[in-house]
Amino acid sequence: MFWRKNKKIEKPFGVQLSIELNAMTLGDIAKTEEPPSIDRMSNAWLKYNCTKIIVGVAAINGVNDSVLFISGSNGRVYRDMEFEIELPFPMGPNKTKTVQVEPTDDFIFLSFEDIAIMALPTVYIVNSLIGKPLVEYRNAEKDMFGEKSELEIKVTSPKGEYILPVISKVAKQWFKYENTAVKVMATLILTNDDFPLELGITTE
């Protein structure tokens, strides 16, 4: 038997990121300078009635192999994924109103007060934009619904070295990364029906 080579999907319009920030956890991080965890996830997001800040970010394929990044928190368009998410209200003792987004070769980091709160694999965004599958399970159910795992990402920051824990779920065309501070869901923008994009910032 010969495995049939997986074809690239048609190059999408782009990738949409839905980012949920847990205001209660961000406040705790600012007070303790401790990174988020993956323990007691249901308590962090449901039981204690946290305030969620939800913002959309889009990476849009442009002309000449360029990519434009759009932040829903301020409606601005950027040439790379290095910008700030402007929060709707200040948090923590320093009254901080921004989450930094910064790319490296390996990860795209979201940071709050110089503490990394989430790390997304850069290659997932790159592969999504060119229409390459994120994973190849050779299993139709896993390709569609993904597979869950726990990750530990080593971080070096102005606050020192530490391990950032993340629960990931990765499918062929989408992924989700989450911990007690952040939930990020990335999906492809495939058709004209996906427009207009809703990227604004809301609270729940």
Side-chain angles (χ1 to χ4, degrees):
M1 174 182 273
F2 295 96
W3 287 108
R4 189 179 295 173
K5 262 192 173 181
N6 272 357
K7 289 183 180 176
K8 277 189 184 181
I9 60 171
E10 188 176 341
K11 188 174 180 180
F13 289 108
V15 181
Q16 184 168 356
L17 302 175
S18 174
I19 302 171
E20 292 185 22
L21 300 163
N22 186 323
M24 182 180 290
T25 303
L26 292 185
D28 290 342
I29 288 168
K31 288 174 193 170
T32 64
E33 297 192 350
E34 293 290 329
S37 74
I38 55 174
D39 298 327
R40 299 181 296 280
M41 288 283 288
S42 60
N43 283 355
W45 287 96
L46 300 172
K47 198 169 182 180
Y48 295 129
N49 242 352
C50 74
T51 298
K52 294 181 197 172
I53 302 164
I54 304 162
V55 61
V57 172
I60 303 293
N61 277 318
V63 296
N64 299 325
D65 293 324
S66 65
V67 178
L68 298 176
F69 298 91
I70 305 165
S71 170
S73 72
N74 56 26
R76 293 177 185 156
V77 180
Y78 298 88
R79 292 293 303 273
D80 54 45
M81 207 159 182
E82 186 169 359
F83 52 86
E84 293 181 342
I85 293 172
E86 298 177 7
L87 303 174
F89 47 82
M91 283 180 284
N94 295 325
K95 305 296 183 188
T96 303
K97 283 198 70 174
T98 58
V99 168
Q100 288 74 38
V101 182
E102 184 178 2
T104 67
D105 289 342
D106 298 319
F107 292 101
I108 296 164
F109 286 100
L110 276 64
S111 303
F112 184 71
E113 295 203 354
D114 290 328
I115 297 170
I117 56 175
M118 181 53 66
L120 311 172
T122 305
V123 70
Y124 283 180
I125 302 297
V126 173
N127 286 350
S128 295
L129 286 167
I130 64 175
K132 185 176 179 181
L134 301 183
V135 290
E136 296 183 24
Y137 292 115
R138 301 189 186 278
N139 176 297
E141 186 175 359
K142 285 185 179 180
D143 282 345
M144 182 172 289
F145 297 107
E147 188 168 57
K148 194 173 182 178
S149 60
E150 294 184 7
L151 308 174
E152 292 188 338
I153 299 166
K154 187 175 180 180
V155 175
T156 302
S157 79
K159 301 287 187 182
E161 290 192 353
Y162 53 91
I163 297 297
L164 178 66
V166 175
I167 297 173
S168 74
K169 195 169 188 184
V170 184
K172 195 172 183 179
Q173 295 185 18
W174 61 269
F175 69 88
K176 183 177 184 180
Y177 269 46
E178 59 184 339
N179 56 32
T180 53
V182 189
K183 293 183 180 182
V184 180
M185 176 81 168
T187 54
L188 296 180
I189 305 166
L190 286 171
T191 71
N192 288 325
D193 293 336
D194 293 328
F195 293 93
L197 300 175
E198 299 290 340
L199 299 177
I201 191 164
T202 59
T203 58
E204 288 182 0

